[in-house]
Amino acid sequence: MAKRRLRTGPTAALPAKPDPDELLRIVQLADPGARRDGDDILAVDVRVCAPVEAGAELTGGVLEKVWAVRVAGEGPLPLDFFDRYLAEGLAFRLGGLAVCRGEVSDPADDAGESGPAVILPVRPTAEELAPLLEQQEEEFAFTAGDIKAALVPQKGQPPAVQELLPFATELTAIELRGEDPVKLGALALELAEALNGIAVDRWRFRIDSAEDLAVSKEEKPEEEAQEEETDPAPE
């Protein structure tokens, strides 16, 4: 029965059972109003189901032990793919994988395809951006060293930026792209501070430090180190 239920929504497949308080804290980065409902967590029209132990086949054997956190929409989503974003964001921050429509993905592998953003309540002027970003030939394209930035309308209303909405006239995102996630995070926080916005990761979870964008898989280096130690020395 549990396996059938897991197929009804995007799922974060985690290598260890998450602490309930930590799970709630992370979900509240995506929706500050998220709250417990029994063993589950309710966000904006989304239910984050309590972790259940699942078989290794859920991730195609990539993870030997799997704790599955299913995300189910229960109403109109505040943002397209908000349920999937929740599952992928949880998987990234807890060192796991995301499962959606039978496909298994590692959110950490897709870091180059998109990056963090700064959500602003109004579209900034060129004068406001000039001290922070260098204007390119295209009207809405900017750079900051090796980081690219684009000014685009924010589609939907991410719950993480609810505090901006009472004053917002045109939610706008400064989308950042680059190779170094920590540098991206530092710039996002700098822009948010200077322009009275909110820095979020690519899944629209609020970020509080640049390191929030770093890959959250601390066990992998240890495992590799152990393999190196057990490998026989070449003769």
Side-chain angles (χ1 to χ4, degrees):
M1 183 64 180
K3 293 178 182 178
R4 287 200 297 272
R5 290 179 63 225
L6 288 173
R7 298 193 186 103
T8 64
T11 299
L14 310 175
K17 186 177 182 179
D19 176 77
D21 291 337
E22 177 66 1
L23 189 61
L24 177 62
R25 184 192 71 81
I26 295 175
V27 174
Q28 286 176 335
L29 295 175
D31 174 18
R35 65 190 190 281
R36 285 194 177 89
D37 181 41
D39 293 333
D40 298 343
I41 296 171
L42 290 182
V44 180
D45 286 323
V46 169
R47 179 176 296 274
V48 180
C49 298
V52 296
E53 194 166 5
E57 63 271 16
L58 180 66
T59 64
V62 177
L63 296 178
E64 293 182 3
K65 295 181 179 179
V66 181
W67 285 89
V69 178
R70 183 175 60 93
V71 180
E74 296 192 337
L77 300 180
L79 187 70
D80 287 346
F81 310 113
F82 182 58
D83 53 349
R84 181 167 187 167
Y85 287 165
L86 272 179
E88 292 181 349
L90 286 170
F92 178 81
R93 288 175 178 262
L94 292 169
L97 303 173
V99 183
C100 186
R101 296 182 179 178
E103 295 184 2
V104 180
S105 64
D106 185 345
D109 288 343
D110 301 326
E113 297 182 4
S114 58
V118 179
I119 311 298
L120 307 174
V122 296
R123 180 177 289 272
T125 65
E127 291 74 18
E128 290 174 318
L129 293 174
L132 305 163
L133 299 170
E134 182 179 347
Q135 176 78 55
Q136 300 301 293
E137 292 183 5
E138 296 181 15
E139 183 180 358
F140 303 114
F142 303 84
T143 58
D146 58 354
I147 295 177
K148 296 180 180 179
L151 197 64
V152 298
Q154 169 61 48
K155 297 180 180 179
Q157 298 182 346
V161 303
Q162 286 297 314
E163 66 190 67
L164 297 179
L165 297 181
F167 317 102
T169 58
E170 185 181 8
L171 277 184
T172 301
I174 303 177
E175 301 278 358
L176 303 178
R177 301 290 183 272
E179 296 297 327
D180 187 331
V182 176
K183 286 176 62 176
L184 287 170
L187 179 58
L189 291 168
E190 179 185 352
L191 292 170
E193 176 69 22
L195 300 170
N196 297 314
I198 293 177
V200 295
D201 64 19
R202 61 192 177 100
W203 301 285
R204 296 317 191 241
F205 283 63
R206 191 164 181 161
I207 62 173
D208 299 314
S209 72
E211 287 70 24
D212 287 343
L213 300 180
V215 176
S216 179
K217 292 194 175 181
E218 299 178 357
E219 296 180 3
K220 188 173 181 180
E222 295 178 5
E223 291 174 358
E224 291 175 351
Q226 291 175 359
E227 289 177 2
E228 291 175 1
E229 292 175 0
T230 55
D231 283 344
E235 297 180 358

